[in-house]
Amino acid sequence: MDFNSFLTSLGTSFLICVVLMFLFTWLARKPGNEVVYYPNRILRGLDPSEGGRRTRNAFAWIKDAFSATEAGVVEAAGVDAAVYLVFLSSVLGILVLSGIVLLPVLIPVAGTDHNVNAHAENSNGTFNNLDKISMGNVQEESPRLWAFLLGTYWVSFVTFYVLWKAYKHVSNLRAVARSSPEVKPEEFTVLVRDVPRAPPDQTIKDHVDSYFRALHPETFYRSMVVTDNKEVNKIWEEIEGYKKKLARAEVVYAESKTTSNPNGTRPTNRTGFLGLIGPKVDTVDYCSEKIKELLPKLEAEQKLTLREKQQAAALVFFNKRPAAVLASQTIHAQMLDTWTVMEAPEPEQLLWTNLPKKLYEREVRQSIVYGVVFLTVVFYMIPISFISAITTLENLRKLLPFLKVIVDREAIKTVLEAYLPQLALIIFLALLPTFLMFLSKAEGIPSEGHAVRAASGKYFYFVIFNVFLGVTVGGALFASLKIIIDRPGQIVQMLGTSLPGNATFFLTFVALKYCSHLPHLLGCC
């Protein structure tokens, strides 16, 4: 990759960002799109079109971001949004504090050495101009390397300090939010799992009520036991389907009434597969009869579910907020696998199907999922390392000689070097979040928030082992495989020479990913 490819990558990434931002602005101004682009304003009872073009463009958020207070962010979007902004400001702080020291020190230290010129054949396909201001331009055993070592310690110190300050700030922010007078149902509730078998003369709900009433006699309010609602939901969805068909048929019937045909034409449908076969019936009468037939069945199934299909998990409500906090932090049984109590998630966050799963089942599931993640990390590294290795032009020329005529053309060469490796890695990583979220939910995690946090942890391991190690180490090993086989003792020296050149890959990778994700972040704002 040469310097022109690097500039092409940065320039076109910026151009993509600008195009997507203007596309965002154009779509946001379309009538009827307010629900998609301004949900927060609508939920707060504000007019989404207020301010006209001054507020409905891709750059209006900049002024609001600088003028907004943290309390205003919490009020408008919640604590999570404020924490995310703290995270972004922390990243910016690490970047600025590191750059203030490193840029004026390390660039002159590297730029005044001559290792690249002396060992041009070891460039490993990177562009020489930027190599001259990187650690790759420092000669072996040079005292200048101490500057880079001290720079590493400086970045580590800045990172730890900024993250420590951010952690303290976020902790205080959460404490203030939890002490707010605004009443939230989850703050008065605990989630109880691993409910033991109830006595013969009690249901699980009676068992939960008697247990917590005995432990918290003055603050216990009521409980809600998790039930198996599969049959109830099936009947309810069937009723809702007939209601929609009935409403649609009534509208069609009403619109068919005209001056020449005052009685209208009643719509009909077939009762067989997909409405294609079977006897033809009057849609309005048929749907009305089906609804009348299913309503008693729904009520009977609801009573049966509440009585006989109770699961070993419940939500317990208290009449005081401190009581719920105390209950969530108290051990309620001597046995580890009974009466597991924790803070209740928000109602819409609950994964109801995971709540009844027992402790040992969750442990087994977690072990299996971790094993699958480990194997996926290992085997996912193979295609990523292979793709990152073969998508360099030098390796493409070696593996596919017939492409030399194409890739050696200046315009095509610039585009391929600027985007091919980065796009390959971004596409591979884009497939991961959905898969990791599925695995996290399969562990038996009780809420969406916990599942997202677990999936993020797994994604972190993928980034470390596949993006960092797979691209840097894997690419270097692939490119120098013959040297390693002939002289295995020089693998460390070879890696030390090859790895600095990968810095340019990550510069373009981060730029491309940032520019492609910025419009999405604007939509979230």
Side-chain angles (χ1 to χ4, degrees):
M1 183 185 290
D2 56 20
F3 191 66
N4 291 333
S5 299
F6 177 71
L7 293 180
T8 300
S9 178
L10 292 184
T12 50
S13 296
F14 177 76
L15 181 63
I16 290 172
C17 178
V18 172
V19 170
L20 291 177
M21 289 175 68
F22 280 106
L23 180 63
F24 163 83
T25 303
W26 179 71
L27 291 174
R29 290 177 179 174
K30 286 288 184 180
N33 286 352
E34 291 89 353
V35 178
V36 178
Y37 290 93
Y38 302 99
N40 286 334
R41 294 183 63 86
I42 295 175
L43 291 175
R44 284 184 285 161
L46 301 176
D47 183 7
S49 59
E50 182 181 355
R53 293 182 178 272
R54 291 186 296 103
T55 59
R56 304 183 71 180
N57 62 75
F59 305 99
W61 64 275
I62 299 177
K63 179 182 177 182
D64 294 336
F66 279 104
S67 61
T69 62
E70 195 169 69
V73 173
V74 173
E75 181 182 358
V79 178
D80 290 343
V83 172
Y84 183 66
L85 292 178
V86 171
F87 167 74
L88 292 181
S89 63
S90 301
V91 172
L92 181 61
I94 294 172
L95 178 64
V96 171
L97 292 176
S98 301
I100 287 175
V101 175
L102 298 184
L103 291 179
V105 174
L106 297 186
I107 289 180
V109 168
T112 54
D113 212 334
H114 310 286
N115 190 49
V116 168
N117 295 333
H119 302 86
E121 67 276 7
N122 293 327
S123 177
N124 196 27
T126 62
F127 48 90
N128 295 334
N129 289 336
L130 286 182
D131 279 345
K132 292 178 181 179
I133 58 173
S134 70
M135 190 173 65
N137 195 37
V138 179
Q139 299 182 33
E140 298 179 14
E141 301 181 0
S142 172
R144 296 170 183 250
L145 293 174
W146 282 102
F148 289 90
L149 179 62
L150 295 176
T152 303
Y153 281 104
W154 169 249
V155 173
S156 301
F157 170 76
V158 168
T159 302
F160 290 141
Y161 176 76
V162 172
L163 292 181
W164 172 67
K165 297 288 289 185
Y167 176 79
K168 289 182 62 178
H169 181 65
V170 168
S171 298
N172 294 333
L173 192 66
R174 183 178 183 273
V176 171
R178 293 302 297 266
S179 61
S180 170
E182 182 183 356
V183 176
K184 297 180 181 179
E186 63 270 15
E187 296 178 354
F188 293 82
T189 314
V190 296
L191 173 62
V192 183
R193 307 177 78 180
D194 305 313
V195 177
R197 187 185 300 273
D201 57 337
Q202 288 184 338
T203 63
I204 294 180
K205 177 175 173 54
D206 296 335
H207 188 35
V208 172
D209 287 349
S210 61
Y211 189 83
F212 278 88
R213 187 176 288 111
L215 294 177
H216 309 276
E218 298 180 357
T219 55
F220 173 76
Y221 176 59
R222 56 166 295 185
S223 69
M224 184 181 73
V225 176
V226 178
T227 55
D228 182 2
N229 296 334
K230 290 181 181 178
E231 290 298 324
V232 172
N233 291 339
K234 183 179 179 180
I235 299 173
W236 181 83
E237 290 173 359
E238 192 174 356
I239 293 175
E240 288 297 310
Y242 283 119
K243 285 182 178 179
K244 291 178 181 179
K245 290 181 182 178
L246 177 60
R248 185 164 55 250
E250 290 176 342
V251 171
V252 172
Y253 178 51
E255 291 179 348
S256 68
K257 295 180 180 180
T258 61
T259 305
S260 59
N261 184 19
N263 294 327
T265 303
R266 297 179 68 85
T268 60
N269 68 280
R270 295 185 181 275
T271 60
F273 178 72
L274 296 177
L276 301 175
I277 58 176
K280 184 178 290 187
V281 296
D282 184 287
T283 304
V284 175
D285 293 339
Y286 178 75
C287 292
S288 299
E289 291 175 2
K290 280 293 185 180
I291 292 172
K292 291 179 181 179
E293 177 185 332
L294 290 172
L295 282 176
K297 186 178 179 181
L298 176 64
E299 294 177 1
E301 187 62 36
Q302 286 175 332
K303 293 178 181 179
L304 179 66
T305 300
L306 291 174
R307 186 176 62 253
E308 299 181 3
K309 297 184 179 181
Q310 297 179 359
Q311 305 290 304
L315 295 169
V316 176
F317 303 90
F318 295 86
N319 53 27
K320 293 182 180 179
R321 190 182 299 174
V325 176
L326 179 64
S328 66
Q329 299 176 356
T330 303
I331 298 177
H332 285 75
Q334 294 181 347
M335 300 301 294
L336 179 66
D337 60 339
T338 58
W339 298 112
T340 303
V341 182
M342 65 186 71
E343 293 183 1
E346 297 177 8
E348 62 274 10
Q349 289 279 314
L350 284 169
L351 298 174
W352 295 97
T353 55
N354 283 348
L355 300 185
K357 291 181 171 58
K358 292 289 189 178
L359 175 65
Y360 294 116
E361 180 184 355
R362 299 198 299 269
E363 293 291 337
V364 171
R365 284 172 169 265
Q366 188 179 61
S367 300
I368 294 175
V369 167
Y370 283 173
V372 172
V373 170
F374 174 76
L375 294 176
T376 308
V377 168
V378 173
F379 288 103
Y380 219 74
M381 188 182 295
I382 296 174
I384 286 184
S385 301
F386 181 73
I387 292 295
S388 64
I390 68 171
T391 49
T392 62
L393 290 189
E394 288 298 324
N395 289 329
L396 281 177
R397 291 190 187 96
K398 294 176 183 177
L399 297 174
L400 304 173
F402 62 89
L403 292 179
K404 287 183 180 181
V405 179
I406 300 175
V407 299
D408 285 342
R409 295 187 178 183
E410 191 63 29
I412 298 177
K413 174 184 175 183
T414 300
V415 173
L416 290 178
E417 287 185 333
Y419 286 112
L420 194 58
Q422 292 84 352
L423 284 176
L425 183 58
I426 289 175
I427 292 172
F428 267 87
L429 292 179
L431 304 175
L432 278 175
T434 302
F435 176 65
L436 296 180
M437 193 67 179
F438 167 77
L439 289 179
S440 297
K441 291 181 179 180
E443 293 181 36
I445 289 175
S447 72
E448 288 279 352
H450 287 84
V452 169
R453 185 169 62 185
S456 300
K458 297 178 180 67
Y459 191 80
F460 172 77
Y461 292 118
F462 272 91
V463 170
I464 294 296
F465 287 99
N466 287 315
V467 178
F468 179 68
L469 296 179
V471 172
T472 56
V473 179
L477 292 176
F478 187 89
S480 307
L481 191 59
K482 184 177 180 181
I483 300 176
I484 296 172
I485 294 175
D486 295 339
R487 291 171 288 178
Q490 296 186 6
I491 184 172
V492 176
Q493 181 180 358
M494 183 273 300
L495 288 176
T497 304
S498 304
L499 290 181
N502 288 286
T504 55
F505 169 86
F506 286 103
L507 283 174
T508 53
F509 172 73
V510 171
L512 180 61
K513 194 163 187 178
Y514 169 78
C515 291
S516 62
H517 281 68
L518 181 59
H520 171 70
L521 295 176
L522 295 181
C524 295
C525 296

